[in-house]
Each structure stands twice: as C-alpha cells, then as structure tokens.
Amino acid sequence: MARVTLEHVTKRYEDVTAVDDINFEIEDGEFVCLVGPSGCGKSTTMETVAGLTKPTEGKVYIGDREVTNLAPKDRGVAMVFQNIALFPHMDVYENISFGLRLRKYEDEEVERRVERAADIVQLEGMLDRMPDEMSGGQRQRVAIARAIVRNPDVFLMDEPLANLDAKLRVHMRTELQRLHRELDTTIIYVTHDQAEAMTMSDRIAVLNEGRLQQIAPPLECYNEPANLFVAGFIGSPSMNFFEGTLIEDGFETRNFTVALDPADVPSATVGDDVTLGVRPEDVHLSRYEDSLTQPSRRIDARSDVLEPMGDEIFVYLLLSEGGERSMDRDAASSPDQLLMSVTPDTDIAEGQDLDVVFDKANVHLFDTETGEALADGIVDIEKPEPDSGQQVTEADS
Ligand code: ADP
C-alpha cells in the first residue's frame, strides 16, 4: 500500500499539453478513478505514475519516495491495460507466474502467490487452461491475477474493461470493488465511462483538456460539481443549463425566472452573467410541488417527445412556441428546452401543456464566463427558511 502524490505534473508534446499542472494526493488504499473525455490526459497522467512517461515538469511520489526518474520496475506498481496481452502458448498458471519466474522466485513461493491470486479473481480450477479456451472476462482476470502476484503497492488500470461486452463490464465492476476490498491496495483506474467511475471509486478525479477539474467522492462531484464541465460530464442524461442574469430578486433567463436572494450567491453581483443548472430528476410537475422543500415558480412548458427507458421516462419539454430543439440528451441543452425525468407510471403524453417546477434545493448556479460553481441549492426569498430541514435532522440524529 502506498500514497501517490503528483506535484505540478505537466507533460508537453511538441504542440500539445497533454497534462497541465496536475496536483493531487491519493491516499493509501484508496480507489481513485481518473475520468474525462477522450484526449483529456487520463492515460498520460497515469503513465507518469507508472514511469512509462517522464513529466516535462513536476514530481511524482509513491509513498514518501520521489519516483519521477525511476524505471517502472523500481516503482512497486503493477499495470493492467485494456488490451490484454497474454502469452497464447502458455496456460493460465504460466501466464500468471511468468514475471515471478523471470525474477527467479522459489517454486513454492510462485505456487503460493499464483494460488492466492487465482483465488481472489476466481480462476481456481482453470489454471491449466489456454488463453484461447477462455472468455474475454476470464482473460482479463488472468491479467489482473498477473498483476496481483507481484504484490504491488499501487495498481494502475487503464480502461481494463473497455473491450468487454456491457453485461460483463458491469459484472467486472463488482469484481474489482471486491478485489479492492480484499487487497486493500491503492488503485488508480482510468476510464472515460462516468458510470464506471461513479460506482467503483472512493474518489473520482475529473480531467478536461489536461487539467484537473475536481477530485472528490462521486456523490460530491454529482451534488456539488466544482464547475460547468464537471456538472455536465457527471450524470446521465446531462444537467440542463440555462444562461441568464442575476437580477434583484432572482435569476432571469429567456423563458423563465427563478426567485432567489442574490445575497445567497456571495461571489456574484446583480447584473452578472450566470448559468443555472438543473438535473432532469430535479424537474417536477407543479402538482407535486408540495413535496419539495424549495419549489421554484411555475414554468410553462409543453411536452414534446417522450423517451421511455424502462425504469424512467425522459420528457423533452419545450419552453417556448417554435423554440430551438436538441434531441441529444448528453449535449448542452437548448435555451428553449428542458429535459425532465419521470417515473414510468406518468400520465404525461406528447404535445400536452404542463407547468413544471424545479426543486431549488438542488439547483446549481455557475459563473457563465469562468464556469466556476457559485451555489448548490438556492433559497426562495418568498419563503425564507433560515433553519433548513437539514440542520434539524442533524441536530436530531
Ligand atoms: P486520454 O487518456 O484522456 O484519452 P491521453 O493522455 O492519451 O488522453 O492524451 C492526452 C493528449 O495528449 C491527447 O491530445 C493526445 O493526442 C496527446 N498525446 C498523448 N500521447 C502523445 C504522444 N506520445 N505524442 C504526442 N501527443 C500525445
């Protein structure tokens, strides 16, 4: 087990800055996912920890030891990649033990380690199989076992599940969580799949364009995104965004206003360009507003298209007649459109006039220019509640 620290790590290729001044400390035994869109610098960041890439600037520490210039083999790390490179002519036992045998470990020790690793990844009874007799998931487990036998201080995994089919990927996620519990080892895991990151990790590090946007527990990234990028990237379908202005008694955008006290947004002033973000699950029909702690004013809308997903239905709402439409759930929404998620028993039909409210306790405000978060949850000035329900609960518990 070891802590991993990156200090001002930058990696430049000729005209690309792949990693731009990244700082973080990953604790002993922590499972951290590096997540972000393709090309954001996830692999390069991990390669600087592995020793496969030397940073242009900055330092890398594993435990208390600076490893910036050490060879990969001297860092106490083991890697698992997307493309599983097993030796086709060796059976599972030989594949798992290859590195140990190369390092001239005693036969008994090799056997002990292979058995333990095979047990952890549930490959007992398959040690004499050849790779071509195994499924993709089993081969990936062999690759993980090969990393386990080395007793690394840190596991580095780069999209190890990317080539598996969807069902197996979900299954392997659970396996990796169990593996982490059993090994109690620091794991750094690269993925572009935010669902994978959300479900497995203690903390996620969100990257964009080589820069660290936020490093925090998954739910914190979800509930208190540090900026517009994180707010839009984490959560599927994506948060709805509306550009507008902070006014005397609220927030104003093209098709609606939301009451709020600008004093609750201390780092902005009236007249500032502000973006409001609201997740589809925080938009409700106004008939349910009594169940919300902070319903917004009613917003006129018309249901446009319904997308049934099985466990929920996505309703595309139009906020103005003839407004601009976008049917891409994960792209920034149009100012005239609002995506709402409802339960499958809904009686909403396409082409219906409705009015909706936001749960303002879960509305987010961002500085439009910098993208930085200004507030998570806003209080209605029409119904000020200085002692919020949450404080009462905390005092009670
Ligand atoms: P990710 O893993 O998030 O997809 P990478 O770390 O692979 O991103 O790449 C980050 C950026 O650095 C990309 O723009 C990529 O094209 C560039 N890059 C990565 N490796 C090299 C290299 N060896 N030479 C030049 N550019 C590179």
Side-chain angles (χ1 to χ4, degrees), residues 54 108 285 322:
K54 216 174 127 184
E108 256 175 45
L285 290 175

Side-chain angles (χ1 to χ4, degrees), residues 13-14 16-19 36-45 47 158 190:
Y13 294 103
E14 273 164 28
V16 186
T17 305
V19 171
S38 179
C40 70
K42 304 179 293 292
S43 298
T44 308
T45 303
E47 284 164 12
D158 195 344
V190 164

Side-chain angles (χ1 to χ4, degrees), residues 176-224:
L176 285 173
Q177 282 170 282
R178 186 179 55 80
L179 178 81
H180 179 237
R181 264 200 315 276
E182 283 186 24
L183 295 173
D184 206 14
T185 305
T186 312
I187 299 183
I188 305 181
Y189 187 103
V190 164
T191 179
H192 66 278
D193 179 347
Q194 51 120 349
E196 219 167 86
M198 291 294 281
T199 48
M200 292 197 302
S201 32
D202 296 317
R203 283 191 300 164
I204 59 185
V206 185
L207 275 75
N208 188 35
E209 296 181 346
R211 292 186 152 262
L212 181 64
Q213 307 291 313
Q214 183 165 16
I215 179 166
L219 284 180
E220 192 175 320
C221 291
Y222 190 82
N223 293 322
E224 297 163 43

